[in-house]
Amino acid sequence: FQDINILPFTIAQNISGRTEEDTDFEKVNNVLNKSGLADKVASLDKKENTNLTQVIDDKGIMLSGGELQKLMLARALYKDSPILVLDEPTAALDPLSEQSLYMQYNSLTENKTSLFISHRLASTQFCTRIIYMEDGGILETGSHKELMKNKNKYAEMFEIQSQYYKENKKEE
């Protein structure tokens, strides 16, 4: 989701990758709910038929970075492929949206193989298997619990990153 490409068509067409006639709108609304974009789309006059960008429609809208990431998640879920690859899917999300996505991630990827790439180690706690890499090589593998117990590089980096969240919480 780091390089997001949207087409100057409707939200539904951007999700389905199909013409309006060939789009399953029930499925579109289902993935909008799962991706966390349903409330935004519901607030629009034309809902999922709202055009993105103003290339074709001067009343088209632009989504924020976080909303675009949610749109790309909806697109990936719509395809319903057995393998899901997510590259920094929460980079542009606010902390609450990020946490919400993590809380439902298991249900989003149920019966699928999922590869989740992230520099934010807080996002790894729900992963079945973590592959910690550095300088192009694998340093450690295991679950979050196993890697924390080992007290190696993963645990060190996790603690460093978690300090940032702890400090911000104290400031609030």
Side-chain angles (χ1 to χ4, degrees), residues 30-151:
N30 182 29
V31 298
L32 283 170
N33 278 316
K34 288 180 177 180
S35 70
L37 197 56
D39 288 343
K40 170 67 178 185
V41 173
S43 74
L44 303 170
D45 290 338
K46 292 181 168 182
K47 313 288 185 241
E48 67 275 356
N49 292 310
T50 302
N51 279 305
L52 295 177
T53 79
Q54 296 168 342
V55 173
I56 292 176
D57 180 358
D58 60 350
K59 293 182 181 164
I61 65 162
M62 296 299 295
L63 296 174
S64 71
E67 291 165 342
L68 285 171
Q69 284 193 306
K70 291 176 182 181
L71 181 74
M72 294 301 101
L73 178 58
R75 182 185 287 175
L77 295 172
Y78 185 92
K79 289 181 181 180
D80 198 27
S81 63
I83 298 173
L84 187 60
V85 179
L86 304 175
D87 186 4
E88 297 284 0
T90 62
L93 297 181
D94 63 83
L96 292 176
S97 295
E98 181 180 36
Q99 180 65 22
S100 175
L101 177 63
Y102 294 153
M103 296 302 287
Q104 62 179 350
Y105 190 79
N106 283 334
S107 66
L108 294 175
T109 60
E110 190 173 33
N111 300 318
K112 298 182 185 312
T113 298
S114 176
L115 177 62
F116 184 91
I117 302 163
S118 182
H119 291 89
R120 296 181 187 176
L121 297 185
S123 67
T124 61
Q125 296 178 64
F126 62 86
C127 297
T128 306
R129 182 171 180 221
I130 299 165
I131 301 172
Y132 182 84
M133 298 178 70
E134 204 171 274
D135 298 322
I138 297 173
L139 290 185
E140 299 177 69
T141 64
S143 68
H144 172 74
K145 190 174 185 178
E146 291 166 344
L147 295 175
M148 291 302 288
K149 185 179 175 184
N150 292 343
K151 299 188 183 299

